[in-house]
Amino acid sequence: MFKKKPTIKNLSPLRSSDRRKIADQIISDYQVEIPSSAPAGQDSTSSNPAPNLTSIRNALLPENSLSARFTTTAGPQLREVQGTVYVGTHPGGEERVLWFRLDHGPGADGRLYPTVYTLWNNPNLVPLLYTPEMVMRKLHGGADLMTPGLANEPPFPKRAVEGAVVAVASLDRHTVPLFVGICEIDVSALGEVQGTKGHAVRGLHWEGDELWAWSSSSRPGQPAPEYLPGWDEEEDEGDEEIEEAAEGVNELALGEEENSHAAVNEESTETLEEPLEEPAPIEEKEPSMKEIDDAFVKAFIYSLYKLKQDNPSANNHGLALPIQPSFLISNMITPYLPIFSAQQAQYYQIKKTSWKNVKKFIKYLDKQQLVKSKDRSGQETIILDVDFNDRLVEQFVPYRLPSKNAVENSKKAGVSTNKKPGATGGDPTVGQTLTVQTLYRPTQKLTPTIFPALSSTNPQNYYKYSDVSNHLDQYLQSQNPPIVDPQNRRIISLNPFLANTIFTTSSSEDRSTTARGKTTRDGLQKRIMEDHSLMTAHYAILRAGQTLSDVKPKPGATPKVTVILERRTGSKTVTKVSNLEVFGIIPSLLAEELQKQCASSTSVAQANGALKGVMEVLVQGDQRRALETALVRRGLKTQWIDVVDKTKKKK
């Protein structure tokens, strides 16, 4: 619905009573449970207090939320749709569209629909369905979710009935909702997916559409996180119930044995009561290079077999051609490798194979006549076609794959292992908290009249914008005779100091101001802040626990990390990032992470035109999204990242 940019009118604040009324409507429509009281024995002063009605309202629709009318088009006939958007800010986030309502036009029902930003902050608000990453890319193009595209076997969530609002996540990030829609059928009642036809979920909004990208400050949309706690709790509860049921069956079986084998019961009971010794962890043997090669080939064949089974009648069985090397590794190899632990994940990597890189692996598949490949400009190798009717695919026997929980646990285990300092050489900047402060230092022209005369090394000689405003007000109020107009306090009469110190240039603005003998309060402060002979701009980058007394502010504007996309040798795109050192980011460690995440080659070299020691990381392909995610993990905010796209054609 929001594939095209909607026209959003001026935002207006929501009254507190209206906000509470809308939040209560959301609680009622989505059956949000409100705890009646805190559980017995729970300390009300604990760090995690029990949620109440007020906190749930604020989580769904934060305070100081805004609303605005919008218009867009929908359907092949481009019929006009009118509605309302509700904009707000979650803690630690940016101002985004959190809810929308369709009032007039196709699909208008007056119901409030959450955006992905709301779902990322409110786990289990709606039922969560799953689909393969390949299908998710089609959903991001505006397609609806078809019934064969539903992943995982039944039973599906009980709340996913016809007409219900649901979210959809990809199997790669099973805890992160990326798509919002309405159930066209009763998904909860489905007993089988294969062989079925028709629409399952009609799409309304997804990560990447124009509603996701909207921002009052024209900032790009926030990328989805890699993992969200809370969205997998229902599965965990289901596992606990299964375990409890299994324990009950075991107890019943033991009871029957006690009745029929009373003589043996005493010995068995004594044995059961003894604590079982946990087996010592078995160190997994590293597979040979041949075993890793075989695993990669089998994974590729498994992906073709699965596509053929899931999409028997689709063109190319739903596989989009040509296939890029990064897509091959991330979507057709990694999900089908026998990786059941973090240790195994270290073994099954392309650099551990006999081919060492993706290009040679594709050449091997071409030699085996499984694919048809082509070199682009003598550099990147892509797959033009695959043979779904090859004997290896026809006679393939599926093997056991790691479950989502097993893969997630492996990732968590790997993260906890890497946290040991010095043990694995992990990146110390991952997870750091950064604060950038813009400061101003007055020159001798303004001291000691407006600001106290302090040395340049004194931390108190650097002022925030609000501090400058306060000192200026103190000066204006202290003048005798008064220079603030009593009828309009925004009008300031120029005294000799202001006329001879601030408005001294030969510009037409300064000449007209001195001729009038008056200026505005805001214009006076703006003139002071913008004149480098009066105030010099500085910045300070603070880490967790640091204050201005710990860091010396540096002159200049607030720095930004520069990301440049440009073309090399024809149609080949590369992504370059520089100016990392000022934020404490180690370029070589960032390059290693990007190489794994993007399955692309990376390099680190001296940045062109920069000071000696300022390095530049280069990664193959358009990797701006992956790069932004990696930088945010290292404490940067999106407004500190400057993206320059040189691949666009000049008009």
Side-chain angles (χ1 to χ4, degrees), residues 195-255:
T196 57
K197 296 181 180 180
H199 291 68
V201 179
R202 172 167 57 89
L204 295 175
H205 156 69
W206 56 88
E207 183 215 16
D209 68 2
E210 292 296 337
L211 198 65
W212 165 87
W214 183 89
S215 170
S216 59
S217 56
S218 300
R219 294 174 181 170
Q222 291 180 287
E226 293 296 323
Y227 175 81
L228 287 174
W231 277 102
D232 52 359
E233 288 181 358
E234 291 183 353
E235 298 176 7
D236 297 339
E237 292 174 2
D239 294 340
E240 292 176 2
E241 292 177 0
I242 294 173
E243 291 176 2
E244 291 176 1
E247 291 177 2
V249 172
N250 292 336
E251 291 175 0
L252 180 60
L254 289 174

Side-chain angles (χ1 to χ4, degrees), residues 354-395:
S354 60
W355 307 292
K356 303 302 181 186
N357 58 55
V358 185
K359 180 176 181 178
K360 292 183 178 179
F361 175 54
I362 294 176
K363 291 293 186 183
Y364 174 82
L365 296 177
D366 195 333
K367 188 177 180 181
Q368 299 299 314
Q369 298 183 351
L370 283 167
V371 305
K372 183 179 180 181
S373 63
K374 178 183 178 181
D375 290 342
R376 277 187 173 177
S377 304
Q379 299 290 330
E380 189 178 53
T381 303
I382 62 173
I383 296 176
L384 296 177
D385 197 8
V386 299
D387 187 2
F388 284 98
N389 298 319
D390 189 273
R391 178 180 56 85
L392 296 176
V393 180
E394 295 285 351
Q395 300 178 2

Side-chain angles (χ1 to χ4, degrees), residues 17 36 53 73 92 97 116 124 131 134 145 147-148 165 279 341 368 396 406 409 478 483 503 526 540 594 599:
S17 58
S36 56
L53 179 58
T73 56
V97 177
V116 290
N124 297 322
T131 192
M134 177 183 65
L145 178 61
T147 305
V165 180
S341 66
Q368 299 299 314
F396 180 76
N409 291 336
S478 65
I483 59 176
F503 300 95
K526 182 180 178 182
L594 293 174

